[in-house]
């Protein structure tokens, strides 16, 4: 696999949102249409410009992205067409080396993500009934 992990720029936001949409449609069947549209609006407007975001690129195509804030992995999404090719693991390992993050919050209704982070060495340390936006999506707090 010949890939690069590079800092995202505003010109990448459209592709980042394509990746996010593809990943969410494939793995977040619990997300309401209203909340999907809410997040699709706020992520590029409120989150991406304020976070250090990295994209994983192969053959000129961004296949995933990740971001860390303080000691927490805030986002890691892989385009559905690129799942199962090791991009998530590569991004997670890169972000660990770069930022030393030790925590991740995962939607309880996304068992695939919980399993991924368990394979990456994380374990559950707590649970919240609502997500960081105050919406009724339980969150599993995980740590190394």
């Amino acid at each position: 696999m010949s890939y690069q992990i590079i800092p995202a720029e505003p010109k990448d936001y459209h592709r980042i949102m394509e990746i996010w949409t593809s990943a969410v449609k494939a793995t977040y069947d619990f997300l309401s249409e209203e909340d999907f549209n809410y997040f699709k609006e706020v992520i590029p407007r409120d989150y991406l410009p304020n976070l250090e975001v990295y994209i994983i690129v192969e053959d000129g195509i961004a296949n995933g992205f990740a971001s860390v804030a303080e000691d927490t992995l805030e986002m890691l999404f892989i385009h559905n067409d690129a799942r199962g090719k090791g991009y998530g693991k590569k991004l997670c390992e890169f972000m660990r080396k770069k930022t030393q993050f030790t925590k991740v919050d995962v939607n309880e209704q996304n068992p695939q993500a919980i399993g991924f982070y368990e394979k990456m060495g994380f374990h559950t340390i707590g649970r919240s009934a609502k997500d960081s936006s105050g919406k009724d999506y339980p969150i599993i707090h995980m740590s190394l």
Side-chain angles (χ1 to χ4, degrees), residues 1-20 48 51-68 75-79 87-88 90-92 94-95 98:
M1 181 191 317
S2 174
Y3 67 91
Q4 289 179 284
I5 298 175
I6 57 173
E9 299 174 21
K11 68 176 176 57
D12 300 312
Y13 290 179
H14 179 74
R15 177 60 180 165
I16 286 170
M17 292 313 297
E18 288 177 351
I19 293 166
W20 180 86
L48 296 180
L51 292 169
E52 198 173 351
V53 180
Y54 287 83
I55 52 177
I56 188 164
V57 179
E58 187 171 29
D59 299 327
I61 298 168
N63 290 301
F65 70 96
S67 179
V68 169
M75 295 189 256
L76 192 156
F77 289 92
I78 303 299
H79 195 286
Y87 294 123
K90 298 283 187 213
L91 260 177
C92 191
F94 173 86
M95 296 304 281
K98 177 150 190 59

Side-chain angles (χ1 to χ4, degrees), residues 28-42:
Y28 282 58
D29 55 0
F30 54 88
L31 191 66
S32 73
E33 190 70 22
E34 178 186 342
D35 288 335
F36 174 84
N37 291 328
Y38 164 80
F39 287 117
K40 193 168 182 175
E41 184 179 309
V42 300

